Amino acid sequence: MPDQERKEQRGLLDGQKDFHNGNKEFLDGNKEFLIEKIKEKPVNKKKLIRRTIITVSMAVIFGLVACVTFLVLEPVISNWLYPKEEPEIQTVEFPEDKEEMSPEEMLAENLPTESPEPTPAPTPEPTRNPGDGGDTYVPLGEEQVQDILSQVTFDLNHYKQLYTALHDYGNELGRSVVTVTAVTSNLDWFNSVQERSNQCSGVIIFENGMELLILTDYSAIRSAERLLLTFYDESQTGAQLKQYNEATNLAVLSVPLEELSDAVRGGPGNAQDGFEAGVQDSPTGAGAPGNQDPDAPEDENPDEPGDLGASGSPGQGNTGAQDSGGQTARNPEEPESGLPIVEFGYSNAKSLAGTPVIAVGSPMGTSNSLSYGMITASGTTVSTADRNYRILLTDISGSQNASGVLFDLQGKMIGFITNHRTGSDMKNLITAYGITDLQRTVEKMSNGAEIAYLGIRGEDVPREVNAELGIPFGAYVEEFDMDSPAMRAGIQRGDVITAIGEKSVSGFMEYSNALMDLEPGQTVEVTVMRQAQEEYKEMKFNIELGGVR
């Protein structure tokens, strides 16, 4: 079967051929795969721009966070590495009250210090006794001396010198007085903001190392939204309410020292230019010839007793504002910085009536007004809870909205003007709180502290009453406030408080001062003498004190 074998062989050959062709196609396909080129992926520009923007934004945010972190932490790290010593705030403590002065001491207190000696009166010339041959001299008689003195006249020049001296002295005292402007705002019918201002006077009382403290009238600033102070050099700055007292209607304001002008903070020379302009180079005070009218005739005899400018006696040209060298006398209590801080005087003397005073501030109801007069009475007191305040009455006619300070001729503040304690029969006369009774209250307010409160109104026990009725010395309780600590503890009218804690009390002033040394919330033992039949028996109460402003 050769044909059959041939067919099979041919088929086998065809199959091998097909196999080789398949392998060739497979190899050709693999060859095409191996030589295939990888194309680059096209760039997405939008995505690239978006990523660039995100990267830049993150860099900016990181930089801002780093800057803020540095600014916040830099002071902390600097203070940690180089701690800064903060100025210490001083506690306000005013000098202790003086003992009551005699009339002679009061007179010496109000005489100018270091003033030139008064011009002596002319010595009466002796006359010859004709009966003794002209060799013997006899002095003039009293009538002859009076006749000579009656020929000395006081003209308008002397009157002008006196008032010039008072004016210059008042301007110098005005350095310690500031104008307080209280600004309030409200809406009118058209929803427009309108600002209103109210003014009163204040006085610089202390500098505690951080702030300048000013005593002023509280009623004038009670509803103020912001406070503005104007000093003697016309510089202005804002102020903050530090503390107030409802019983006296007074307040203490504070001003940071760094906000004061150079003139206010500087040495005394910067603050006295206006005062020294009229009295500079004057050897005998403001009443010296340097202040006289240039058109006035020159005195023929400057040493006559009628020359007020040459005299150093009180009320005659020299008011204590200058020393014998013509320079302004500096307040000894004034700090080295030259701040015009007022010096407290003494207002509890029995012989205070008749003392000449100068009202500075707003006695006429307007700022920078000035008035002169004298104290007419000082025996009136105002009774408040736990403290009595002496009221000084003057013959100075002023405004019912008056505020400011009463100065004596030594430049010391002896009263703070108030228009809330004026009697109905003398509404236009200036009255003032005596500064001695006010001192402890002002001290508490200056420290921003509340005042310990027991709620008693009373008075001293006079010696005559003690001798006749046997009432022990102490603080006699006339009445007490409703719901006060004293009432809740059981203290009654007619009781006599003889001790507060360990401090004995012999009068109402000592009771008030002992209470001022305590703090609100403190529990204290109060010793009371209470009448039982015909004798007084001792009782003790443990009372938790309240606090008032």
Side-chain angles (χ1 to χ4, degrees), residues 179-185 195-200 217-229:
T179 300
V180 182
T181 303
V183 181
T184 58
S185 61
E195 286 192 345
R196 292 186 299 176
S197 61
N198 186 27
Q199 287 189 338
C200 63
D217 193 325
Y218 179 55
S219 62
I221 65 171
R222 186 187 299 267
S223 58
E225 296 177 0
R226 57 189 177 92
L227 299 171
L228 185 67
L229 300 185

Side-chain angles (χ1 to χ4, degrees), residues 237-291:
T237 184
Q240 298 293 327
L241 176 64
K242 191 175 185 69
Q243 189 60 280
Y244 62 90
N245 181 254
E246 292 280 2
T248 58
N249 199 46
L250 298 178
V252 171
L253 310 180
S254 64
V255 180
L257 294 179
E258 61 267 16
E259 295 185 8
L260 301 177
S261 67
D262 293 337
V264 176
R265 287 187 298 177
N270 294 332
Q272 299 169 1
D273 296 340
F275 174 65
E276 292 179 352
V279 295
Q280 195 172 11
D281 301 329
S282 171
T284 55
N291 282 328

Side-chain angles (χ1 to χ4, degrees), residues 215 248 250 389 416 433-442:
L215 178 67
T248 58
L250 298 178
Y389 298 97
F416 191 86
Y433 285 112
I435 195 61
T436 301
D437 292 340
L438 202 63
Q439 191 166 306
R440 295 298 301 274
T441 303
V442 175

Side-chain angles (χ1 to χ4, degrees), residues 189-507:
W189 291 99
F190 304 100
N191 288 330
S192 298
V193 179
Q194 290 185 338
E195 286 192 345
R196 292 186 299 176
S197 61
N198 186 27
Q199 287 189 338
C200 63
S201 292
V203 61
I204 303 172
I205 57 173
F206 201 81
E207 177 259 309
N208 62 9
M210 291 284 291
E211 305 164 318
L212 198 63
L213 304 179
I214 292 95
L215 178 67
T216 190
D217 193 325
Y218 179 55
S219 62
I221 65 171
R222 186 187 299 267
S223 58
E225 296 177 0
R226 57 189 177 92
L227 299 171
L228 185 67
L229 300 185
T230 305
F231 292 87
Y232 68 93
D233 64 339
E234 300 300 327
S235 63
Q236 294 184 333
T237 184
Q240 298 293 327
L241 176 64
K242 191 175 185 69
Q243 189 60 280
Y244 62 90
N245 181 254
E246 292 280 2
T248 58
N249 199 46
L250 298 178
V252 171
L253 310 180
S254 64
V255 180
L257 294 179
E258 61 267 16
E259 295 185 8
L260 301 177
S261 67
D262 293 337
V264 176
R265 287 187 298 177
N270 294 332
Q272 299 169 1
D273 296 340
F275 174 65
E276 292 179 352
V279 295
Q280 195 172 11
D281 301 329
S282 171
T284 55
N291 282 328
Q292 294 181 1
D293 188 347
D295 297 330
E298 191 172 318
D299 289 342
E300 295 180 0
N301 186 3
D303 293 331
E304 284 187 0
D307 188 357
L308 293 181
S311 175
S313 58
Q316 297 183 353
N318 190 319
T319 57
Q322 296 178 329
D323 58 20
S324 57
Q327 298 296 326
T328 304
R330 183 176 179 271
N331 187 344
E333 298 295 330
E334 191 172 301
E336 294 296 329
S337 62
L339 290 169
I341 297 174
V342 75
E343 182 182 359
F344 287 1
Y346 184 72
S347 62
N348 279 0
K350 293 180 180 179
S351 57
L352 202 60
T355 301
V357 291
I358 299 178
V360 182
S362 307
M364 301 296 113
T366 58
S367 300
N368 301 320
S369 51
L370 193 67
S371 191
Y372 322 111
M374 69 176 182
I375 295 175
T376 55
S378 60
T380 304
T381 58
V382 173
S383 179
T384 64
D386 301 321
R387 199 162 187 88
N388 294 335
Y389 298 97
R390 181 169 297 200
I391 298 297
L392 307 181
L393 308 179
T394 73
D395 61 351
I396 303 173
S397 180
S399 170
Q400 295 183 27
N401 296 321
S403 62
V405 183
L406 287 184
F407 288 98
D408 61 13
L409 294 186
Q410 287 298 107
K412 296 180 181 179
M413 179 173 69
I414 61 173
F416 191 86
I417 297 174
T418 175
N419 63 329
H420 306 285
R421 305 297 184 182
T422 305
S424 58
D425 56 341
M426 48 182 182
K427 290 183 178 179
N428 290 329
L429 292 180
I430 298 297
T431 60
Y433 285 112
I435 195 61
T436 301
D437 292 340
L438 202 63
Q439 191 166 306
R440 295 298 301 274
T441 303
V442 175
E443 186 177 290
K444 283 283 187 177
M445 288 194 294
S446 299
N447 290 315
E450 290 189 348
I451 300 174
Y453 170 69
L454 194 56
I456 288 174
R457 299 170 188 261
E459 61 179 355
D460 297 340
V461 176
R463 293 184 180 276
E464 297 80 6
V465 175
N466 171 263
E468 294 180 7
L469 303 180
I471 299 178
F473 289 112
Y476 184 82
V477 180
E478 290 184 324
E479 56 180 298
F480 46 80
D481 293 348
M482 296 298 295
D483 200 30
S484 63
M487 176 184 177
R488 293 195 297 269
I491 293 179
Q492 302 176 1
R493 293 185 180 92
D495 289 348
V496 180
I497 298 176
T498 58
I500 299 288
E502 298 180 354
K503 294 184 178 181
S504 60
V505 172
S506 60

Side-chain angles (χ1 to χ4, degrees), residues 147-186:
D147 183 59
I148 295 174
L149 292 178
S150 65
Q151 299 176 11
V152 179
T153 58
F154 294 88
D155 57 18
L156 185 60
N157 248 2
H158 300 128
Y159 196 71
K160 290 166 63 176
Q161 291 171 17
L162 175 63
Y163 271 87
T164 298
L166 286 173
H167 173 266
D168 292 339
Y169 189 46
N171 285 343
E172 168 65 7
L173 296 175
R175 294 177 55 223
S176 303
V177 179
V178 301
T179 300
V180 182
T181 303
V183 181
T184 58
S185 61
N186 55 10

